Amino acid sequence: MTIRSKTPSLLESPTIPVQAKLAAAWTSLVLLYAYVDILAFYKPGVVDDILAGVVWQFDITPTWAITALTLLAIPIAMIVLSMALPARANRITNLVAASVQIPFAAFNAVGQVGQEWMSFYVLGLGLEVILLAFILRSAWKWPRTLPVAAGPATTDLRPGVIA
């Protein structure tokens, strides 16, 4: 008679490089920005206002479009920069970019205070801030390598001579 016992299979959790975590978080943030904006089109009157040349009481002008694109290009560029920059520059760039994005995210929700759709924007802001906090924490706690101790010093500078 064979007795079967259920042994839990342990799943391996490989270490993920900080750069990959940061790039994934920035990608998630960009997608969240896009979906909040896309879902906002379903609010009554939004598309009519856009067709009339107005977004949130701002006239749609080339200056408005350049400003919006510049602000949105930051998290988009951070996806690539998080994977491409060397560690020190990467850490600093992520800390600065995430810090700049928090007020930008809050600005989008502030205009909705007291409005019917406020909870939608507060949820979007909350999710964005969670992602930005993750980015800040990951960049702040970037793993450090310990200096490698030098080998024994030698005074003989002649090549090929072993002490």
Side-chain angles (χ1 to χ4, degrees), residues 20-147:
K21 289 179 184 180
L22 291 169
W26 284 111
T27 302
S28 297
L29 186 72
V30 168
L31 289 170
L32 187 59
Y33 277 169
Y35 277 100
V36 166
D37 286 347
I38 290 167
L39 292 172
F41 289 146
Y42 291 95
K43 287 173 33 183
V46 169
V47 173
D48 293 333
D49 287 347
I50 292 170
L51 293 174
V54 177
V55 173
W56 290 340
Q57 302 170 359
F58 295 108
D59 290 334
I60 299 174
T61 64
T63 303
W64 175 87
I66 289 168
T67 303
L69 180 59
T70 301
L71 289 171
L72 292 171
I74 294 170
I76 293 167
M78 288 308 300
I79 297 167
V80 174
L81 293 176
S82 293
M83 293 300 291
L85 289 174
R88 184 173 176 83
N90 201 333
R91 179 178 187 260
I92 293 167
T93 305
N94 271 281
L95 289 170
V96 170
S99 297
V100 167
Q101 288 298 306
I102 290 175
F104 174 63
F107 171 78
N108 289 333
V110 167
Q112 298 299 317
V113 172
Q115 302 293 321
E116 179 183 7
W117 284 71
M118 186 177 111
S119 57
F120 169 75
Y121 286 100
V122 168
L123 175 61
L125 172 64
L127 295 171
E128 291 167 10
V129 168
I130 288 169
L131 286 168
L132 290 165
F134 174 81
I135 291 167
L136 287 169
R137 184 178 183 280
S138 297
W140 186 261
K141 295 195 154 277
W142 196 292
R144 303 217 183 322
T145 57
L146 298 174

